[in-house]
Amino acid sequence: MITTEDIQKLAELSRINIAPEEQESLRLQIDSILGYIDQIKKASLVSGEVSKSTLAADDIRNVMREDSEPHMSSEFTEKILSAAPAREGNYLKVKKIL
Amino acid sequence: MIDVSKLTIESAHEHLMKGDFTAVELTQAYLDIIAKKDSEIKAYREVFADALDQAKVADEIIKSGKATLLTGIPFAMKDNILIEGRIAGASSKILENYKASYDATVTAKLKKAGAVFLGRTNMDEFAMGSSTENSAYGATKNPIDPSRVPGGSSGGSAAAVAMNGALAALGTDTGGSIRQPASFCGTVGLKPTYGALSRHGLIAMGSSLDQPGPITKTVRDSEIIFEALKGKDRYDSTSMDSPFKNVPSKEKLIIGVPDFKRDGLDKDVLENFDVILKKLEGEGHILQKISLPNIDYSLAVYYILMPAEVSSNLARFDGVKYGAHASGKDLLDDYVLTRGQFFGKEVRRRIILGTYVLSTGYYDAYYGKARATQDLLKHDFSEAFKKVDVIATPTSPMPAFKAGEKTSDPLSMYLADIFTVTANLVGVPAISVPCGTADREGAKLPLGFQIMAPHFREDLLFQLGKVVEAVR
């Protein structure tokens, strides 16, 4: 059973403000969802016995590329920074950290 | 007057080539329908003011003799697919007025083909939902019966095509978000093989599960769009070309029918499913019962893996780089307030759930166990595909439900995905094809027939999908 303190802790970890009046209903909903997904605990995994999938896209492979073709310096700067809620010159502007 | 209700991509293309009408006239015909119907249906978040200008460019391409099948075809685009310079909001307040800084690969391919973008369509916020009621901008209605939902999360795209407000649409599918709304609205929805289409430029939800795909009126239209959009993309390292050069064609297919739990499913859905199977058998295809021993765990696996990926994917929305911003007493407070204020309820719920299943002490019991069970499911499918060519199920356990029916109980909403999530977990392609109707209060509600095939065998989906269209 998940508690309201758990919800508060999870909200903190997720960096989401959850209003106090919402915590109880969220707790109940998360609890009912966990009640459903708990059935996963019954899935029987016998280690070593599962042979690999032979489906085509299941081959695990590393995808590498040459570290080449750099773009022009500042080519995308304006496009990207123009989306920021607050900026100062070519910097994102945030509140003081230290 | 162009009767758009009869048009397919190929017939529209022929008319455009013969000069029966221009791309501008065709686009105008769709804009007229949108103007008439969309104030009630609310399929679109925005209709692009320059749609006719895009159509003029398409007419130039046609005149120059360089037209493809998609030149001048009017498309609706889901609100989570980037089009450079236009707003892409994922129907979330946190991205209100966010303008895409680049084109998604699927967007770029459609642009190159000369397609016309009519507008962007409503969706469940960040594609989280099965009814399009989780949009931060109000729900979309089902054009067949406006008291009911269009399905979701690509409900706006499915409704746009169903009301003849676009000839085709793109959606995204993480656990059924193309197929289920397609089924609810009487349209064809395709979720391609994971990696068949590039995910570059989609607003990510569950990166190991997401695929974009078409919502169309016919299986042939779906095939045309799939062929135009597929292929390896340097900007998505999980994308790949089909490893099959020449697939052996086979006239009669072996259709695997899994022994899914029948209790709790809608009676009309089951009856119709059995009737279609019989008809396919009548066409010479072979039905074979198959067992997928771990299939009953699919939904539980999905509702662990997907929220886990959601919790990390949505960490990028912090009110600093783009999107909405709420100001607090310090930087941390800015984050917490921005995310608390501008993420909707379902999004917050899934982030919290994902954070829980990934946290110390629970990781092995949930995420670890779900990943291992996903491997069992993949194994079940690869075994089944040694015996059968395709696997068939209903698309949804019920026809379109009433607006508001499931909004207060998230778990009951999740259960609507029971048949669709497996294809995403296993990475196989799946299509939903309209296959009949269920009578409810005088409305004929569409039902969908789902076909799944091995990786990169979309050809089998199109082959059998066309038979379903012919016999239904």
Side-chain angles (χ1 to χ4, degrees), chain B residues 363-407:
Chain B
Y363 178 90
D364 287 336
Y366 289 111
Y367 189 80
K369 189 76 189 270
R371 281 285 293 111
T373 310
Q374 182 185 27
D375 284 343
L376 291 180
L377 274 165
K378 286 183 178 178
H379 180 253
D380 286 354
F381 270 71
S382 69
E383 286 302 304
F385 282 132
K386 287 176 186 163
K387 299 179 207 118
V388 300
D389 297 309
V390 295
I391 295 173
T393 69
T395 305
S396 162
M398 77 286 273
F401 44 88
K402 287 272 189 188
E405 195 181 310
K406 296 183 191 294
T407 39

Side-chain angles (χ1 to χ4, degrees), chain A residues 20-75:
Chain A
E21 61 271 22
E22 207 190 315
Q23 289 179 3
E24 179 57 14
S25 66
L26 187 61
R27 186 189 71 77
L28 287 170
Q29 286 160 348
I30 297 276
D31 218 41
S32 117
I33 297 164
L34 289 175
Y36 180 82
I37 63 178
D38 265 347
Q39 61 174 289
I40 189 85
K41 293 176 178 160
K42 287 185 287 182
S44 63
L45 302 178
V46 187
S47 61
E49 276 189 17
V50 181
S51 58
K52 270 186 55 141
S53 156
T54 53
L55 294 170
D58 281 342
D59 292 334
I60 292 176
R61 59 200 200 285
N62 283 322
V63 181
M64 313 290 270
R65 66 167 179 83
E66 285 302 310
D67 187 11
S68 61
E69 298 173 60
H71 61 76
M72 296 284 288
S73 170
S74 80
E75 191 182 346

Side-chain angles (χ1 to χ4, degrees), chain A residues 2 6-7 10-11 13-18 22 26 29-30 32-34 36-45 50-58 61 63 69 79-81 83-86 92-97, chain B residues 84 101 234 237 239-240 243 296-297 299-301 303-304 319-323 325 327-328 330-332 334-336 339-340 345 348-349 351-353 355-356 366 369-370 372-373 376 378-379 382 410-411 414-415 426 455:
Chain A
I2 197 160
D6 292 334
I7 295 288
L10 290 166
L13 288 169
S14 316
R15 295 188 164 173
I16 292 178
N17 180 50
I18 307 272
E22 207 190 315
L26 187 61
Q29 286 160 348
I30 297 276
S32 117
I33 297 164
L34 289 175
Y36 180 82
I37 63 178
D38 265 347
Q39 61 174 289
I40 189 85
K41 293 176 178 160
K42 287 185 287 182
S44 63
L45 302 178
V50 181
S51 58
K52 270 186 55 141
S53 156
T54 53
L55 294 170
D58 281 342
R61 59 200 200 285
V63 181
E69 298 173 60
K79 226 182 221 176
I80 290 167
L81 279 176
L92 295 167
K93 194 175 171 185
V94 296
K95 293 203 170 75
K96 202 168 74 179
I97 293 173
Chain B
E84 189 178 341
S101 48
R234 63 184 297 218
S237 62
S239 66
M240 60 189 279
D296 289 341
Y297 295 118
L299 199 66
V301 171
Y303 275 96
I304 293 169
V320 172
K321 300 183 288 290
Y322 42 75
H325 172 85
S327 196
D330 53 23
L331 182 59
L332 178 62
D334 283 6
Y335 294 154
V336 170
R339 292 163 63 78
K345 268 199 170 142
R348 297 202 301 265
R349 193 149 51 219
I351 293 174
I352 297 277
L353 187 62
T355 305
Y356 180 80
Y366 289 111
K369 189 76 189 270
T373 310
L376 291 180
K378 286 183 178 178
H379 180 253
S382 69
L411 184 58
Y414 296 176
L415 292 171
V426 181
H455 290 166

Side-chain angles (χ1 to χ4, degrees), chain B residues 48 54 75 77-78 80-86 88 100 102-117 170 197-198 200-202 212 228-229:
Chain B
F48 298 141
Q54 298 174 52
F75 270 76
M77 299 287 271
K78 191 176 179 180
N80 62 351
I81 302 174
L82 305 194
I83 307 175
E84 189 178 341
R86 299 187 196 271
Y102 62 97
D103 276 335
T105 297
V106 290
T107 302
K109 287 192 177 189
L110 284 179
K111 274 186 180 172
K112 198 164 169 242
V116 172
F117 301 130
L170 290 195
L197 266 57
S198 170
H200 176 67
L202 308 188
L229 300 185

